[in-house]
Amino acid sequence: MIPWCLNKSLPFRVVIVFICFLVFLAASSCFAIESKTFDGRIDFLHKDLTFCLDLKARGRLEISGNIEGESYNLKLAIRHLKFGKSDLLTDFYTSGIILKKPDGKVEAIKGKAWTQASLLNLKPWKEFSADYELENGRLTINALSWADFDLKGYIEKSPPAGEAGKTDHKNDNPFFNVQADLFLTIKEMPLKDLAGLLGVNPEEIKLSGVISGKARIKGPWGSLKIEAKLSAHDGTVLQVNFKSASLELEGIWPILRFVHSQINDAGAVAYELKGKFNVEKLSEFNSADHQVTVYSANEAMRFQEWVIKRKLGRGEEMLEAAYPLKNSQALKMRIKNEEEILGWEKTVKF
């Protein structure tokens, strides 16, 4: 084995930096790197490497790879990676070619990435695939799909600190001194799957339904701005059935706030959501980082199974309380001025 030496095998060092960048980028999104165990081996003679990042109770990352000619192959084994209340196991692979200039210097790296044998919370999970290239300090994601996510964009090295008109970065860590511009698309994704990726146990909140939408993630790594527009339909949240929901969110990761967000439940009650929440602590519903308020958006409210509506018309005010029965029937009580009516109603659809 030959010790690390900066003037040994430039292409191999480029690939080493690339895979380390990806690993530390992924790990940092879930937890801090400090107080973790790291060990490895780099053999410049045979152009291969192996190393391990032990995250203690948070899981383990095992990396191995090699270069043959202008091609490289790398494997990342993710073992019980914990985030929130979720647990991920998968084998991540990436391979590609190293393009060189006439003088022998590295011009670009182009490759593909994919996963095998993926388990989320010990259940089979849809596999990951991506097509990317690395050139002039920019990682360009030409195509990336995972579950019902599609992602495109780039991640690149941030401009030098103190440069005129640029962001002054206090963090000098080369792994995190980057900025991104990414476009995320969600296509009819089950809410249970999205909850699992966010570290939330869907069984605890009795979650169902599907969600679609788009989001843009842009800015320096320590101050990523997120803008998202999402819609969901035909689902359940905490035993509340809803027909549709529209969510417009924005903020600086991990804090997002509701801009224009509304949920329409199955009983014609509309709720408006205001406030903010911490994405990293979604599994902790009682966290002080969540400050969400629910308002009535259509003069109606729900009390257990009763739907209570306030109606105005011709200078009069009426309060109606409806209790759904079986077979499209409902028991309704109306209070109008000093009058009170108790009735039974059946809805027939043509």
Side-chain angles (χ1 to χ4, degrees), residues 267-278:
V269 178
Y271 305 98
E272 183 178 3
L273 304 178
K274 294 185 179 181
K276 62 181 181 178
F277 60 95
N278 188 327

Side-chain angles (χ1 to χ4, degrees), residues 48-201:
D48 63 25
L49 65 90
T50 58
F51 60 89
C52 171
L53 181 61
D54 189 350
L55 304 165
K56 308 301 181 182
R58 292 285 190 175
R60 184 181 181 89
L61 307 178
E62 300 172 356
I63 301 155
S64 60
N66 71 291
I67 289 180
E68 294 183 3
E70 305 304 319
S71 301
Y72 65 90
N73 294 277
L74 294 161
K75 176 184 177 181
L76 168 62
I78 299 176
R79 297 294 177 260
H80 295 289
L81 184 65
K82 305 294 194 305
F83 51 100
K85 296 184 179 180
S86 293
D87 181 309
L88 176 65
L89 291 94
T90 189
D91 290 328
F92 175 93
Y93 298 88
T94 180
S95 64
I97 59 173
I98 302 170
L99 304 178
K100 295 183 180 180
K101 299 178 181 178
D103 59 5
K105 294 182 178 180
V106 175
E107 180 177 16
I109 294 176
K110 294 186 177 182
K112 297 182 181 297
W114 66 96
T115 60
Q116 292 181 356
S118 297
L119 297 176
L120 182 66
N121 298 325
L122 303 181
K123 296 180 180 180
W125 186 251
K126 296 179 181 179
E127 303 295 350
F128 166 99
S129 64
D131 186 338
Y132 63 85
E133 57 185 273
L134 180 66
E135 184 176 9
N136 296 326
R138 172 181 284 195
L139 172 63
T140 301
I141 302 171
N142 298 316
L144 184 155
S145 63
W146 191 30
D148 298 293
F149 284 116
D150 285 334
L151 182 72
K152 292 183 178 181
Y154 67 84
I155 302 172
E156 67 180 356
K157 182 180 178 182
S158 296
E163 186 175 326
K166 304 294 184 181
T167 302
D168 186 9
H169 296 274
K170 296 180 181 180
N171 189 354
D172 295 327
N173 190 320
F175 291 116
F176 306 129
N177 192 20
V178 296
Q179 59 184 11
D181 193 359
L182 303 169
F183 295 88
L184 176 69
T185 301
I186 305 175
K187 300 179 297 184
E188 292 290 302
M189 184 178 193
L191 279 169
K192 285 186 176 181
D193 292 352
L194 179 60
L197 287 178
L198 295 174
V200 178
N201 185 344

